[in-house]
Short mmCIF file of all heavy atoms in Angstrom, two decimals:
data_model
loop_
_atom_site.label_atom_id
_atom_site.label_comp_id
_atom_site.label_asym_id
_atom_site.label_seq_id
_atom_site.Cartn_x
_atom_site.Cartn_y
_atom_site.Cartn_z
N SER S 182 0.86 -1.18 0.00
CA SER S 182 0.00 0.00 0.00
C SER S 182 0.89 1.24 0.00
O SER S 182 1.82 1.32 0.80
CB SER S 182 -0.89 0.01 1.25
OG SER S 182 -1.72 -1.12 1.28
N HIS S 183 0.60 2.16 -0.89
CA HIS S 183 1.44 3.36 -1.00
C HIS S 183 0.60 4.59 -0.71
O HIS S 183 -0.45 4.79 -1.32
CB HIS S 183 2.04 3.45 -2.41
CG HIS S 183 2.86 4.68 -2.62
ND1 HIS S 183 3.03 5.25 -3.85
CD2 HIS S 183 3.55 5.45 -1.74
CE1 HIS S 183 3.79 6.33 -3.73
NE2 HIS S 183 4.11 6.46 -2.46
N ARG S 184 1.07 5.39 0.22
CA ARG S 184 0.33 6.59 0.62
C ARG S 184 1.25 7.80 0.56
O ARG S 184 2.41 7.73 0.95
CB ARG S 184 -0.20 6.42 2.04
CG ARG S 184 -1.11 7.56 2.50
CD ARG S 184 -1.72 7.23 3.85
NE ARG S 184 -2.80 8.13 4.20
CZ ARG S 184 -3.63 7.94 5.21
NH1 ARG S 184 -3.48 6.86 5.98
NH2 ARG S 184 -4.60 8.79 5.47
N LEU S 185 0.71 8.91 0.07
CA LEU S 185 1.48 10.14 0.06
C LEU S 185 1.51 10.76 1.45
O LEU S 185 0.56 10.64 2.22
CB LEU S 185 0.88 11.16 -0.93
CG LEU S 185 0.96 10.82 -2.42
CD1 LEU S 185 0.46 12.00 -3.23
CD2 LEU S 185 2.37 10.47 -2.82
N CYS S 186 2.61 11.43 1.72
CA CYS S 186 2.81 12.08 3.02
C CYS S 186 1.80 13.21 3.20
O CYS S 186 1.70 14.13 2.38
CB CYS S 186 4.23 12.63 3.09
SG CYS S 186 4.50 13.84 4.36
N ILE S 187 1.03 13.16 4.29
CA ILE S 187 0.01 14.18 4.54
C ILE S 187 0.64 15.53 4.81
O ILE S 187 0.09 16.58 4.44
CB ILE S 187 -0.90 13.74 5.71
CG1 ILE S 187 -1.85 12.65 5.21
CG2 ILE S 187 -1.68 14.91 6.29
CD1 ILE S 187 -2.86 12.18 6.21
N TRP S 188 1.82 15.53 5.44
CA TRP S 188 2.49 16.81 5.72
C TRP S 188 2.80 17.54 4.43
O TRP S 188 2.57 18.76 4.33
CB TRP S 188 3.78 16.55 6.51
CG TRP S 188 4.49 17.80 6.91
CD1 TRP S 188 4.25 18.57 8.00
CD2 TRP S 188 5.56 18.44 6.20
NE1 TRP S 188 5.11 19.65 8.03
CE2 TRP S 188 5.93 19.59 6.94
CE3 TRP S 188 6.26 18.16 5.03
CZ2 TRP S 188 6.95 20.45 6.54
CZ3 TRP S 188 7.28 19.01 4.63
CH2 TRP S 188 7.61 20.13 5.37
N HIS S 189 3.29 16.83 3.40
CA HIS S 189 3.58 17.47 2.12
C HIS S 189 2.30 17.95 1.44
O HIS S 189 2.28 19.00 0.80
CB HIS S 189 4.32 16.49 1.19
CG HIS S 189 5.80 16.42 1.46
ND1 HIS S 189 6.37 15.45 2.24
CD2 HIS S 189 6.81 17.22 1.06
CE1 HIS S 189 7.67 15.65 2.30
NE2 HIS S 189 7.96 16.72 1.59
N ILE S 190 1.22 17.17 1.57
CA ILE S 190 -0.05 17.59 0.98
C ILE S 190 -0.55 18.87 1.64
O ILE S 190 -1.04 19.78 0.97
CB ILE S 190 -1.10 16.47 1.09
CG1 ILE S 190 -0.67 15.25 0.25
CG2 ILE S 190 -2.48 16.96 0.62
CD1 ILE S 190 -1.59 14.06 0.38
N GLU S 191 -0.42 18.95 2.97
CA GLU S 191 -0.84 20.16 3.68
C GLU S 191 -0.03 21.38 3.19
O GLU S 191 -0.57 22.47 3.05
CB GLU S 191 -0.65 19.98 5.19
CG GLU S 191 -1.72 19.12 5.85
CD GLU S 191 -3.04 19.86 6.02
OE1 GLU S 191 -3.14 21.04 5.61
OE2 GLU S 191 -4.00 19.26 6.53
N GLN S 192 1.25 21.16 2.94
CA GLN S 192 2.08 22.25 2.42
C GLN S 192 1.56 22.70 1.05
O GLN S 192 1.49 23.90 0.76
CB GLN S 192 3.53 21.79 2.29
CG GLN S 192 4.22 21.49 3.61
CD GLN S 192 4.47 22.74 4.42
OE1 GLN S 192 4.99 23.72 3.92
NE2 GLN S 192 4.08 22.71 5.68
N ASN S 193 1.17 21.75 0.21
CA ASN S 193 0.67 22.09 -1.12
C ASN S 193 -0.71 22.73 -1.06
O ASN S 193 -1.06 23.54 -1.92
CB ASN S 193 0.63 20.83 -1.99
CG ASN S 193 1.99 20.44 -2.51
OD1 ASN S 193 2.77 21.30 -2.91
ND2 ASN S 193 2.31 19.16 -2.50
N ILE S 194 -1.51 22.35 -0.05
CA ILE S 194 -2.82 22.99 0.11
C ILE S 194 -2.63 24.49 0.35
O ILE S 194 -3.29 25.32 -0.27
CB ILE S 194 -3.58 22.35 1.30
CG1 ILE S 194 -4.06 20.94 0.93
CG2 ILE S 194 -4.78 23.22 1.71
CD1 ILE S 194 -4.70 20.19 2.08
N VAL S 195 -1.72 24.82 1.23
CA VAL S 195 -1.45 26.24 1.54
C VAL S 195 -0.89 26.95 0.31
O VAL S 195 -1.24 28.10 0.03
CB VAL S 195 -0.46 26.35 2.72
CG1 VAL S 195 -0.07 27.80 2.95
CG2 VAL S 195 -1.07 25.75 3.98
N ARG S 196 -0.07 26.24 -0.46
CA ARG S 196 0.60 26.87 -1.60
C ARG S 196 -0.34 27.03 -2.80
O ARG S 196 -0.23 28.02 -3.54
CB ARG S 196 1.80 26.01 -2.01
CG ARG S 196 2.73 26.64 -3.02
CD ARG S 196 3.93 25.74 -3.34
NE ARG S 196 4.72 25.49 -2.15
CZ ARG S 196 4.91 24.29 -1.61
NH1 ARG S 196 4.34 23.22 -2.15
NH2 ARG S 196 5.66 24.14 -0.53
N ASN S 197 -1.28 26.10 -2.99
CA ASN S 197 -2.07 26.09 -4.22
C ASN S 197 -3.52 26.54 -4.05
O ASN S 197 -4.15 26.93 -5.03
CB ASN S 197 -2.06 24.68 -4.83
CG ASN S 197 -0.70 24.26 -5.33
OD1 ASN S 197 -0.25 24.69 -6.39
ND2 ASN S 197 -0.02 23.42 -4.56
N LEU S 198 -4.05 26.44 -2.83
CA LEU S 198 -5.45 26.82 -2.61
C LEU S 198 -5.50 28.09 -1.76
O LEU S 198 -4.82 28.19 -0.74
CB LEU S 198 -6.20 25.69 -1.90
CG LEU S 198 -6.16 24.32 -2.59
CD1 LEU S 198 -6.96 23.30 -1.80
CD2 LEU S 198 -6.65 24.41 -4.02
N HIS S 199 -6.32 29.03 -2.18
CA HIS S 199 -6.31 30.34 -1.52
C HIS S 199 -7.65 30.70 -0.88
O HIS S 199 -7.76 31.74 -0.25
CB HIS S 199 -5.92 31.42 -2.54
CG HIS S 199 -4.64 31.09 -3.27
ND1 HIS S 199 -3.40 31.05 -2.64
CD2 HIS S 199 -4.40 30.77 -4.57
CE1 HIS S 199 -2.47 30.73 -3.52
NE2 HIS S 199 -3.05 30.54 -4.70
N GLU S 200 -8.65 29.85 -1.03
CA GLU S 200 -9.94 30.11 -0.40
C GLU S 200 -10.16 29.12 0.72
O GLU S 200 -9.99 27.90 0.55
CB GLU S 200 -11.06 29.99 -1.44
CG GLU S 200 -10.97 31.02 -2.57
CD GLU S 200 -12.11 30.85 -3.56
OE1 GLU S 200 -13.11 30.19 -3.21
OE2 GLU S 200 -11.99 31.37 -4.69
N ASP S 201 -10.55 29.63 1.90
CA ASP S 201 -10.71 28.76 3.07
C ASP S 201 -11.76 27.68 2.83
O ASP S 201 -11.61 26.55 3.30
CB ASP S 201 -11.10 29.61 4.29
CG ASP S 201 -9.94 30.49 4.76
OD1 ASP S 201 -8.79 30.18 4.40
OD2 ASP S 201 -10.20 31.49 5.46
N GLY S 202 -12.83 28.02 2.12
CA GLY S 202 -13.88 27.04 1.85
C GLY S 202 -13.37 25.87 1.03
O GLY S 202 -13.70 24.71 1.30
N VAL S 203 -12.54 26.16 0.04
CA VAL S 203 -11.98 25.10 -0.80
C VAL S 203 -11.03 24.23 0.03
O VAL S 203 -11.05 23.00 -0.07
CB VAL S 203 -11.23 25.71 -2.01
CG1 VAL S 203 -10.65 24.59 -2.88
CG2 VAL S 203 -12.15 26.59 -2.83
N LYS S 204 -10.23 24.87 0.87
CA LYS S 204 -9.29 24.12 1.71
C LYS S 204 -10.04 23.17 2.64
O LYS S 204 -9.68 21.99 2.77
CB LYS S 204 -8.45 25.08 2.55
CG LYS S 204 -7.47 25.93 1.75
CD LYS S 204 -6.72 26.87 2.69
CE LYS S 204 -5.81 27.80 1.91
NZ LYS S 204 -5.10 28.76 2.81
N ASP S 205 -11.10 23.68 3.29
CA ASP S 205 -11.85 22.85 4.24
C ASP S 205 -12.52 21.68 3.55
O ASP S 205 -12.49 20.54 4.05
CB ASP S 205 -12.90 23.71 4.96
CG ASP S 205 -12.27 24.75 5.88
OD1 ASP S 205 -11.09 24.56 6.26
OD2 ASP S 205 -12.94 25.74 6.22
N ASP S 206 -13.11 21.94 2.39
CA ASP S 206 -13.76 20.86 1.65
C ASP S 206 -12.75 19.81 1.19
O ASP S 206 -13.03 18.60 1.22
CB ASP S 206 -14.50 21.43 0.42
CG ASP S 206 -15.75 22.21 0.82
OD1 ASP S 206 -16.14 22.13 2.00
OD2 ASP S 206 -16.32 22.90 -0.05
N PHE S 207 -11.57 20.25 0.78
CA PHE S 207 -10.54 19.32 0.32
C PHE S 207 -10.03 18.45 1.46
O PHE S 207 -9.79 17.25 1.29
CB PHE S 207 -9.37 20.09 -0.31
CG PHE S 207 -8.30 19.22 -0.87
CD1 PHE S 207 -8.40 18.69 -2.14
CD2 PHE S 207 -7.18 18.90 -0.11
CE1 PHE S 207 -7.42 17.85 -2.65
CE2 PHE S 207 -6.18 18.09 -0.61
CZ PHE S 207 -6.30 17.56 -1.90
N ARG S 208 -9.89 19.04 2.65
CA ARG S 208 -9.36 18.29 3.79
C ARG S 208 -10.29 17.17 4.22
O ARG S 208 -9.84 16.20 4.83
CB ARG S 208 -9.09 19.24 4.96
CG ARG S 208 -7.86 20.11 4.76
CD ARG S 208 -7.46 20.82 6.06
NE ARG S 208 -6.22 21.56 5.89
CZ ARG S 208 -6.14 22.87 5.67
NH1 ARG S 208 -7.26 23.59 5.61
NH2 ARG S 208 -4.98 23.46 5.53
N HIS S 209 -11.58 17.25 3.90
CA HIS S 209 -12.50 16.15 4.22
C HIS S 209 -12.04 14.87 3.52
O HIS S 209 -12.10 13.78 4.10
CB HIS S 209 -13.92 16.50 3.79
CG HIS S 209 -14.60 17.47 4.72
ND1 HIS S 209 -14.79 17.21 6.05
CD2 HIS S 209 -15.14 18.71 4.49
CE1 HIS S 209 -15.41 18.23 6.63
NE2 HIS S 209 -15.63 19.15 5.71
N PHE S 210 -11.58 15.00 2.26
CA PHE S 210 -11.11 13.83 1.52
C PHE S 210 -9.81 13.30 2.12
O PHE S 210 -9.52 12.11 2.05
CB PHE S 210 -10.90 14.18 0.05
CG PHE S 210 -12.15 14.60 -0.65
CD1 PHE S 210 -12.42 15.94 -0.91
CD2 PHE S 210 -13.08 13.65 -1.06
CE1 PHE S 210 -13.57 16.33 -1.55
CE2 PHE S 210 -14.24 14.03 -1.71
CZ PHE S 210 -14.49 15.38 -1.95
N LEU S 211 -9.02 14.21 2.71
CA LEU S 211 -7.72 13.83 3.25
C LEU S 211 -7.85 13.06 4.56
O LEU S 211 -7.05 12.15 4.83
CB LEU S 211 -6.89 15.10 3.46
CG LEU S 211 -5.40 14.95 3.76
CD1 LEU S 211 -4.70 14.18 2.66
CD2 LEU S 211 -4.76 16.33 3.93
N TYR S 212 -8.88 13.38 5.36
CA TYR S 212 -8.95 12.82 6.71
C TYR S 212 -10.20 11.96 6.98
O TYR S 212 -10.16 11.08 7.83
CB TYR S 212 -8.91 13.95 7.75
CG TYR S 212 -7.63 14.74 7.72
CD1 TYR S 212 -7.59 16.03 7.19
CD2 TYR S 212 -6.44 14.21 8.22
CE1 TYR S 212 -6.42 16.76 7.16
CE2 TYR S 212 -5.26 14.93 8.20
CZ TYR S 212 -5.26 16.21 7.67
OH TYR S 212 -4.09 16.93 7.65
#
């Protein structure tokens, strides 16, 4: 089973997403 590092994904969320609503909705899929 291969999983991407959540810490790196969180870094990319901050870097690529700029609206809080989009970030919150995306994190539902992450957690």
Side-chain angles (χ1 to χ4, degrees):
S182 300
H183 178 207
R184 186 173 193 169
L185 292 186
C186 163
I187 285 184
W188 183 85
H189 278 97
I190 295 176
E191 284 285 1
Q192 294 290 311
N193 283 319
I194 288 174
V195 175
R196 190 178 299 117
N197 293 283
L198 305 181
H199 308 293
E200 297 180 17
D201 291 340
V203 180
K204 293 178 184 178
D205 293 340
D206 288 349
F207 183 84
R208 286 192 175 100
H209 284 301
F210 298 102
L211 192 57
Y212 298 106

